[in-house]
Each structure stands twice: as C-alpha cells, then as structure tokens.
Amino acid sequence: MKISEIMTTSAVTITSDKSVSHAAEQMKEYSTNYLVVVDHGELMGIVTSRHVGSAHPNRIVADAMDEPPMRMAPERNIWDAHRLLHEGEGELLLVMNQEEWVGVVTKEAIQMKLAEFLDPLTGLYRAPYILDIGEKWLEEKKPFHLMFIDVNDFGLINKQYGHPFGDDVIRSFSSLLSSLMEEDSDHVCRYAGDEFILLTTGSEEKAQRWMEAIIQPAEIYKVTVSAAVGHIDGFREPDFFAKTLRDHIAKASLLSTDAKKKKTSLAP
Amino acid sequence: MIGDHNVSSRKATLTLKISEFEVPPMQDMLIIGRKAPIGPEAARRMAEALSPEQFTLMKMDHPKIEAVLLRNSLLQMIDEKLLMNIILEEAERMISDSMVLRSELKIAMSVQREVDLL
C-alpha cells in the first residue's frame, strides 16, 4: 500500500514571514489543520494547528513551523510512513518526488488506513502487512527469517472447549508473538485463523530464541496448547531472492505441517 | 458669580526627545526566550536586513532560552563555547521564557609585559 494512494495533493500554502495569528486565521478559513510553508516557490516546512496553539501569535511562521519537515517518496508504503511519524512524533509528512513536493499525508489518514488492516481479535496486523514488508525486503535483496506458526489441533480445541476458548488461545499466542518483537526489523501478523507469520532481519540466535519460545507448550486455563513452526532462513536458503514471498510462505507452511508430526499433543 | 456661561480651556504639554536610532535596534546580542513574541528566525531576519552578515544566530538546548543572536565580531575575539557559557549562566538568572533580553558586551584586553632594559 503506497502512500501516494492516500496522500492529499492539494494543500493551502503560506509564506514563512506571516504571523502565527494569520496562519491560525487561514486554517480556520480553509478548515484545515495544517499549512504548507512556501517561500518564492521553495518548500520551507509545515505549520500545524499544534504549532499555532503553542507559539506566541506575534511570532512569524518561520519561528513556529516544523523544520525540516519529514519527507517521504510517494512509492514508500504506509507502514514506513507510520513508523517515521511515530518515531519523529510528527503529525504529517510531505510526499516528495525527488525535490518536487507532490502531496501531504496526515497521521490521521495513515491511522485510518492501517485500521483496515488490523485484526480485531488480536490487534495484530493482517496478511497484507507482512506481504508488503516481505516483498519489499526481497526486492531490496535483504535476507530475513520467515516463520510460519500454526497452533496445533486448533480445530480440536474449538470442538472440545468451545470457540471462546479458541479465541483465548489465539489471543494468548498473539501476546507471546508481540512480546518477541524488539526492533524495527521484527514484524508479526495474524495470517489467517490460527496461523501467524513472523519476519526478522535479525540474527540466527534471535531466530532460534523465537522458535524455542514459540514451540514451548503453554498452559491456558489448565489446557496445554502448543504450536508448530516452519522456518525459512533467508541467510542460508538457496536461491532465496529468486523466489517470491508466496513461495517462501508456501514452503514454511509445509514445514510447519511436518513439524506438527512431532507436536506435543493436546492434554487437559 | 461668573456670568451666565462657563469658560473652560485645555492645554497640552509636548515633550520631544531625540536620540540616535541604532541600526539594528540592538547592541551586541539578543537572548530570546522560548515563548517570546519575537522568535529567533524573525530576529535573525531583522538583523540580516539591517546589518547584513554581522550577526550569527545560535540555537540553544535550554529550558528557557531558545536562541542567542550575537554580533560576529565578538566571536572573533573570544571562544564561542566560553562566551556562550558565560552568557547563559548570567542570562538564565533573570530571563523568563517569554522575554527577549538585549545585551551589551564589551571585551577589553589588559596587557602587562616585562621587557629587558637596554
């Protein structure tokens, strides 16, 4: 999902020598929360309602705006934009095609879009998130570990203990997987039903640590639940970059099925 | 009794003071508070318009002081770090974050040497 798909291409502009009070009036008049600051055709920054609220009204816009504003190319994905805004504590970023300003993306627009990809049961992102990241890494020739995680006997759990308990199992696994995420290079999604995918560009040790934590049987309301993992090591896998992410997921899924044969059986 | 109608008068006193206008209207430096009505960039532009290339703006990582605008010639005479330490130490005693302080800073050098007599 590229940010060019959610950006606003028209924005109200102001020059940096105008007063903050004038900026506030402009925002009110055009019903907007931000103005793009442009001097003699050159992009200078962004002034937002937050800046206007915290700066003295007599100050000039140059003394209240974000400088330099956060920038991103239109082909970058919305998760990158989300991360950048989160790290920089910004409210919006400028979309730049080389040196040409082509649009603006607000934090609100990004959050609304990302909410469409959130799984309501677990709060994790759904499959498109991991597909987007994995495909980007393959394109960049960046090796990574892919883990396909499948809860053992999930159908049986639902049948034996009921669907609300099954939901508890899914939530419990989601919490475990989320707790493993340490860095920007770690990502997790609920792929489908009782299947999850983890990606990391981290070390072999980290991948091993994750697998040990995941296959460790957990007790949920006195029921022991376990999971199987199919692991693709992008640092060692032959022709890793010649294959698609879909190929890797399919293989990891088959590996997790093989691992199920050695599973810890469901025990009350 | 004064007559049938009142008499009144108004007078104004005009005081005129004339002095030289300094360009720019500051001396050697401005110390700008974080919430001051004139921000660092506006002060820099003012100084640049009236005295091109004579002042340098230094942004501060300080809870009350956002920046110091300083005459370049001072920086040629004394180390920047040393000077800024002195300025901040003295200014932070009296500045609030909504103030802009104007300051005069003169550097005088005193030299005493011993030389051999002929």
Side-chain angles (χ1 to χ4, degrees), chain A residues 16-17 39 44 54 56 58-60 62-63 67, chain B residues 33-42 45 66:
Chain A
S16 70
D17 58 350
D39 285 345
M44 305 301 287
S54 58
H56 192 289
N58 197 47
R59 280 197 169 204
I60 60 172
D63 278 320
E67 184 196 16
Chain B
R34 292 215 162 268
K35 292 180 184 169
I38 302 167
E41 182 58 23
R45 289 183 190 190
E66 187 170 354

PDB file of all heavy atoms in Angstrom, chain A residues 16-17 39 44 54 56 58-60 62-63 67, chain B residues 33-42 45 66:
ATOM      1  N   SER A  16       6.642  32.113   5.012  1.00  0.00           N
ATOM      2  CA  SER A  16       7.214  31.993   6.363  1.00  0.00           C
ATOM      3  C   SER A  16       7.246  33.316   7.127  1.00  0.00           C
ATOM      4  O   SER A  16       7.447  33.328   8.329  1.00  0.00           O
ATOM      5  CB  SER A  16       8.621  31.405   6.289  1.00  0.00           C
ATOM      6  OG  SER A  16       9.504  32.342   5.722  1.00  0.00           O
ATOM      7  N   ASP A  17       7.052  34.438   6.422  1.00  0.00           N
ATOM      8  CA  ASP A  17       7.109  35.734   7.117  1.00  0.00           C
ATOM      9  C   ASP A  17       5.761  36.175   7.682  1.00  0.00           C
ATOM     10  O   ASP A  17       5.672  37.225   8.314  1.00  0.00           O
ATOM     11  CB  ASP A  17       7.667  36.812   6.187  1.00  0.00           C
ATOM     12  CG  ASP A  17       6.853  36.970   4.914  1.00  0.00           C
ATOM     13  OD1 ASP A  17       5.967  36.110   4.667  1.00  0.00           O
ATOM     14  OD2 ASP A  17       7.084  37.935   4.172  1.00  0.00           O
ATOM     15  N   ASP A  39       8.228  29.651   0.330  1.00  0.00           N
ATOM     16  CA  ASP A  39       8.781  30.987   0.067  1.00  0.00           C
ATOM     17  C   ASP A  39       9.355  31.004  -1.341  1.00  0.00           C
ATOM     18  O   ASP A  39      10.249  30.207  -1.648  1.00  0.00           O
ATOM     19  CB  ASP A  39       9.913  31.311   1.061  1.00  0.00           C
ATOM     20  CG  ASP A  39       9.382  31.657   2.442  1.00  0.00           C
ATOM     21  OD1 ASP A  39       8.173  31.913   2.559  1.00  0.00           O
ATOM     22  OD2 ASP A  39      10.186  31.657   3.389  1.00  0.00           O
ATOM     23  N   MET A  44       9.477  25.269   2.510  1.00  0.00           N
ATOM     24  CA  MET A  44      10.214  25.583   3.739  1.00  0.00           C
ATOM     25  C   MET A  44       9.845  24.680   4.912  1.00  0.00           C
ATOM     26  O   MET A  44      10.670  24.411   5.769  1.00  0.00           O
ATOM     27  CB  MET A  44       9.950  27.041   4.150  1.00  0.00           C
ATOM     28  CG  MET A  44      10.247  28.056   3.082  1.00  0.00           C
ATOM     29  SD  MET A  44      11.960  28.009   2.548  1.00  0.00           S
ATOM     30  CE  MET A  44      12.777  28.734   3.942  1.00  0.00           C
ATOM     31  N   SER A  54       0.739  26.562  20.260  1.00  0.00           N
ATOM     32  CA  SER A  54       1.795  26.652  21.265  1.00  0.00           C
ATOM     33  C   SER A  54       2.737  27.842  21.061  1.00  0.00           C
ATOM     34  O   SER A  54       3.500  28.185  21.961  1.00  0.00           O
ATOM     35  CB  SER A  54       2.596  25.352  21.303  1.00  0.00           C
ATOM     36  OG  SER A  54       3.147  25.104  20.035  1.00  0.00           O
ATOM     37  N   HIS A  56       3.691  31.952  20.280  1.00  0.00           N
ATOM     38  CA  HIS A  56       3.123  33.290  20.501  1.00  0.00           C
ATOM     39  C   HIS A  56       2.516  33.789  19.179  1.00  0.00           C
ATOM     40  O   HIS A  56       3.144  33.647  18.128  1.00  0.00           O
ATOM     41  CB  HIS A  56       4.245  34.230  20.970  1.00  0.00           C
ATOM     42  CG  HIS A  56       3.750  35.533  21.507  1.00  0.00           C
ATOM     43  ND1 HIS A  56       3.214  36.501  20.701  1.00  0.00           N
ATOM     44  CD2 HIS A  56       3.676  36.015  22.771  1.00  0.00           C
ATOM     45  CE1 HIS A  56       2.848  37.534  21.445  1.00  0.00           C
ATOM     46  NE2 HIS A  56       3.123  37.260  22.711  1.00  0.00           N
ATOM     47  N   ASN A  58       2.325  36.542  17.831  1.00  0.00           N
ATOM     48  CA  ASN A  58       3.098  37.571  17.141  1.00  0.00           C
ATOM     49  C   ASN A  58       4.322  37.010  16.415  1.00  0.00           C
ATOM     50  O   ASN A  58       4.945  37.684  15.609  1.00  0.00           O
ATOM     51  CB  ASN A  58       3.554  38.632  18.151  1.00  0.00           C
ATOM     52  CG  ASN A  58       3.979  39.914  17.471  1.00  0.00           C
ATOM     53  OD1 ASN A  58       3.277  40.400  16.596  1.00  0.00           O
ATOM     54  ND2 ASN A  58       5.126  40.442  17.857  1.00  0.00           N
ATOM     55  N   ARG A  59       4.658  35.774  16.702  1.00  0.00           N
ATOM     56  CA  ARG A  59       5.820  35.169  16.028  1.00  0.00           C
ATOM     57  C   ARG A  59       5.530  34.995  14.544  1.00  0.00           C
ATOM     58  O   ARG A  59       4.371  34.882  14.139  1.00  0.00           O
ATOM     59  CB  ARG A  59       6.124  33.801  16.626  1.00  0.00           C
ATOM     60  CG  ARG A  59       6.878  33.882  17.925  1.00  0.00           C
ATOM     61  CD  ARG A  59       7.517  32.569  18.271  1.00  0.00           C
ATOM     62  NE  ARG A  59       8.449  32.735  19.376  1.00  0.00           N
ATOM     63  CZ  ARG A  59       9.472  31.927  19.622  1.00  0.00           C
ATOM     64  NH1 ARG A  59       9.695  30.882  18.855  1.00  0.00           N
ATOM     65  NH2 ARG A  59      10.272  32.151  20.637  1.00  0.00           N
ATOM     66  N   ILE A  60       6.591  34.921  13.764  1.00  0.00           N
ATOM     67  CA  ILE A  60       6.379  34.634  12.353  1.00  0.00           C
ATOM     68  C   ILE A  60       6.324  33.110  12.171  1.00  0.00           C
ATOM     69  O   ILE A  60       6.812  32.358  13.021  1.00  0.00           O
ATOM     70  CB  ILE A  60       7.461  35.278  11.447  1.00  0.00           C
ATOM     71  CG1 ILE A  60       8.857  34.770  11.796  1.00  0.00           C
ATOM     72  CG2 ILE A  60       7.376  36.781  11.505  1.00  0.00           C
ATOM     73  CD1 ILE A  60       9.936  35.225  10.803  1.00  0.00           C
ATOM     74  N   ALA A  62       7.952  31.202  10.338  1.00  0.00           N
ATOM     75  CA  ALA A  62       9.290  30.570  10.322  1.00  0.00           C
ATOM     76  C   ALA A  62       9.733  30.157  11.717  1.00  0.00           C
ATOM     77  O   ALA A  62      10.519  29.223  11.867  1.00  0.00           O
ATOM     78  CB  ALA A  62      10.308  31.540   9.726  1.00  0.00           C
ATOM     79  N   ASP A  63       9.232  30.840  12.744  1.00  0.00           N
ATOM     80  CA  ASP A  63       9.605  30.526  14.113  1.00  0.00           C
ATOM     81  C   ASP A  63       8.627  29.567  14.790  1.00  0.00           C
ATOM     82  O   ASP A  63       8.751  29.309  15.987  1.00  0.00           O
ATOM     83  CB  ASP A  63       9.721  31.807  14.938  1.00  0.00           C
ATOM     84  CG  ASP A  63      11.064  32.483  14.731  1.00  0.00           C
ATOM     85  OD1 ASP A  63      12.078  31.770  14.657  1.00  0.00           O
ATOM     86  OD2 ASP A  63      11.093  33.719  14.610  1.00  0.00           O
ATOM     87  N   GLU A  67      10.767  22.291  11.025  1.00  0.00           N
ATOM     88  CA  GLU A  67      11.822  22.486  10.029  1.00  0.00           C
ATOM     89  C   GLU A  67      13.022  21.610  10.391  1.00  0.00           C
ATOM     90  O   GLU A  67      13.518  21.745  11.512  1.00  0.00           O
ATOM     91  CB  GLU A  67      12.237  23.948  10.015  1.00  0.00           C
ATOM     92  CG  GLU A  67      13.242  24.272   8.960  1.00  0.00           C
ATOM     93  CD  GLU A  67      13.914  25.631   9.251  1.00  0.00           C
ATOM     94  OE1 GLU A  67      13.824  26.129  10.372  1.00  0.00           O
ATOM     95  OE2 GLU A  67      14.541  26.125   8.336  1.00  0.00           O
TER      96      GLU A  67
ATOM     97  N   GLY B  33      13.789  34.133  24.542  1.00  0.00           N
ATOM     98  CA  GLY B  33      13.084  33.124  25.320  1.00  0.00           C
ATOM     99  C   GLY B  33      12.251  32.212  24.430  1.00  0.00           C
ATOM    100  O   GLY B  33      11.852  32.605  23.328  1.00  0.00           O
ATOM    101  N   ARG B  34      11.983  31.017  24.931  1.00  0.00           N
ATOM    102  CA  ARG B  34      11.272  30.017  24.112  1.00  0.00           C
ATOM    103  C   ARG B  34       9.869  30.447  23.709  1.00  0.00           C
ATOM    104  O   ARG B  34       9.368  30.022  22.675  1.00  0.00           O
ATOM    105  CB  ARG B  34      11.177  28.686  24.872  1.00  0.00           C
ATOM    106  CG  ARG B  34      12.501  28.024  25.054  1.00  0.00           C
ATOM    107  CD  ARG B  34      12.429  26.521  24.998  1.00  0.00           C
ATOM    108  NE  ARG B  34      13.772  26.020  24.763  1.00  0.00           N
ATOM    109  CZ  ARG B  34      14.286  25.774  23.575  1.00  0.00           C
ATOM    110  NH1 ARG B  34      13.542  25.914  22.510  1.00  0.00           N
ATOM    111  NH2 ARG B  34      15.524  25.361  23.429  1.00  0.00           N
ATOM    112  N   LYS B  35       9.200  31.262  24.552  1.00  0.00           N
ATOM    113  CA  LYS B  35       7.838  31.685  24.212  1.00  0.00           C
ATOM    114  C   LYS B  35       7.782  33.181  23.927  1.00  0.00           C
ATOM    115  O   LYS B  35       6.732  33.806  24.064  1.00  0.00           O
ATOM    116  CB  LYS B  35       6.896  31.324  25.366  1.00  0.00           C
ATOM    117  CG  LYS B  35       6.710  29.824  25.528  1.00  0.00           C
ATOM    118  CD  LYS B  35       5.769  29.514  26.664  1.00  0.00           C
ATOM    119  CE  LYS B  35       5.682  28.005  26.857  1.00  0.00           C
ATOM    120  NZ  LYS B  35       4.984  27.655  28.107  1.00  0.00           N
ATOM    121  N   ALA B  36       8.912  33.753  23.548  1.00  0.00           N
ATOM    122  CA  ALA B  36       8.965  35.195  23.287  1.00  0.00           C
ATOM    123  C   ALA B  36       8.135  35.544  22.058  1.00  0.00           C
ATOM    124  O   ALA B  36       8.010  34.736  21.135  1.00  0.00           O
ATOM    125  CB  ALA B  36      10.416  35.607  23.065  1.00  0.00           C
ATOM    126  N   PRO B  37       7.573  36.756  22.041  1.00  0.00           N
ATOM    127  CA  PRO B  37       6.767  37.159  20.874  1.00  0.00           C
ATOM    128  C   PRO B  37       7.583  37.315  19.601  1.00  0.00           C
ATOM    129  O   PRO B  37       7.040  37.295  18.503  1.00  0.00           O
ATOM    130  CB  PRO B  37       6.149  38.488  21.309  1.00  0.00           C
ATOM    131  CG  PRO B  37       6.939  38.955  22.474  1.00  0.00           C
ATOM    132  CD  PRO B  37       7.514  37.741  23.123  1.00  0.00           C
ATOM    133  N   ILE B  38       8.890  37.501  19.745  1.00  0.00           N
ATOM    134  CA  ILE B  38       9.756  37.527  18.553  1.00  0.00           C
ATOM    135  C   ILE B  38      10.622  36.278  18.609  1.00  0.00           C
ATOM    136  O   ILE B  38      11.376  36.070  19.557  1.00  0.00           O
ATOM    137  CB  ILE B  38      10.670  38.775  18.551  1.00  0.00           C
ATOM    138  CG1 ILE B  38       9.805  40.039  18.604  1.00  0.00           C
ATOM    139  CG2 ILE B  38      11.552  38.797  17.300  1.00  0.00           C
ATOM    140  CD1 ILE B  38      10.585  41.281  18.923  1.00  0.00           C
ATOM    141  N   GLY B  39      10.503  35.470  17.606  1.00  0.00           N
ATOM    142  CA  GLY B  39      11.266  34.221  17.579  1.00  0.00           C
ATOM    143  C   GLY B  39      12.647  34.421  16.990  1.00  0.00           C
ATOM    144  O   GLY B  39      12.956  35.483  16.435  1.00  0.00           O
ATOM    145  N   PRO B  40      13.507  33.416  17.090  1.00  0.00           N
ATOM    146  CA  PRO B  40      14.890  33.526  16.604  1.00  0.00           C
ATOM    147  C   PRO B  40      14.995  33.865  15.122  1.00  0.00           C
ATOM    148  O   PRO B  40      15.822  34.681  14.727  1.00  0.00           O
ATOM    149  CB  PRO B  40      15.467  32.130  16.864  1.00  0.00           C
ATOM    150  CG  PRO B  40      14.575  31.515  17.867  1.00  0.00           C
ATOM    151  CD  PRO B  40      13.235  32.123  17.708  1.00  0.00           C
ATOM    152  N   GLU B  41      14.149  33.248  14.310  1.00  0.00           N
ATOM    153  CA  GLU B  41      14.248  33.484  12.869  1.00  0.00           C
ATOM    154  C   GLU B  41      13.842  34.915  12.520  1.00  0.00           C
ATOM    155  O   GLU B  41      14.476  35.550  11.677  1.00  0.00           O
ATOM    156  CB  GLU B  41      13.387  32.453  12.124  1.00  0.00           C
ATOM    157  CG  GLU B  41      13.422  32.538  10.610  1.00  0.00           C
ATOM    158  CD  GLU B  41      14.821  32.405  10.010  1.00  0.00           C
ATOM    159  OE1 GLU B  41      15.720  31.830  10.653  1.00  0.00           O
ATOM    160  OE2 GLU B  41      15.004  32.909   8.878  1.00  0.00           O
ATOM    161  N   ALA B  42      12.819  35.421  13.188  1.00  0.00           N
ATOM    162  CA  ALA B  42      12.406  36.807  12.941  1.00  0.00           C
ATOM    163  C   ALA B  42      13.521  37.761  13.367  1.00  0.00           C
ATOM    164  O   ALA B  42      13.832  38.726  12.656  1.00  0.00           O
ATOM    165  CB  ALA B  42      11.123  37.108  13.707  1.00  0.00           C
ATOM    166  N   ARG B  45      16.313  37.576  10.814  1.00  0.00           N
ATOM    167  CA  ARG B  45      15.973  38.279   9.563  1.00  0.00           C
ATOM    168  C   ARG B  45      16.055  39.797   9.754  1.00  0.00           C
ATOM    169  O   ARG B  45      16.467  40.521   8.843  1.00  0.00           O
ATOM    170  CB  ARG B  45      14.566  37.883   9.111  1.00  0.00           C
ATOM    171  CG  ARG B  45      14.498  36.465   8.603  1.00  0.00           C
ATOM    172  CD  ARG B  45      13.107  36.140   8.089  1.00  0.00           C
ATOM    173  NE  ARG B  45      12.989  34.711   7.818  1.00  0.00           N
ATOM    174  CZ  ARG B  45      11.963  34.164   7.177  1.00  0.00           C
ATOM    175  NH1 ARG B  45      10.973  34.922   6.733  1.00  0.00           N
ATOM    176  NH2 ARG B  45      11.930  32.877   6.965  1.00  0.00           N
ATOM    177  N   GLU B  66      15.720  30.017  23.830  1.00  0.00           N
ATOM    178  CA  GLU B  66      15.646  29.304  22.549  1.00  0.00           C
ATOM    179  C   GLU B  66      16.876  29.576  21.683  1.00  0.00           C
ATOM    180  O   GLU B  66      17.353  28.676  21.001  1.00  0.00           O
ATOM    181  CB  GLU B  66      14.367  29.712  21.798  1.00  0.00           C
ATOM    182  CG  GLU B  66      14.132  28.899  20.547  1.00  0.00           C
ATOM    183  CD  GLU B  66      12.766  29.117  19.941  1.00  0.00           C
ATOM    184  OE1 GLU B  66      11.937  29.825  20.546  1.00  0.00           O
ATOM    185  OE2 GLU B  66      12.527  28.578  18.847  1.00  0.00           O
TER     186      GLU B  66
END
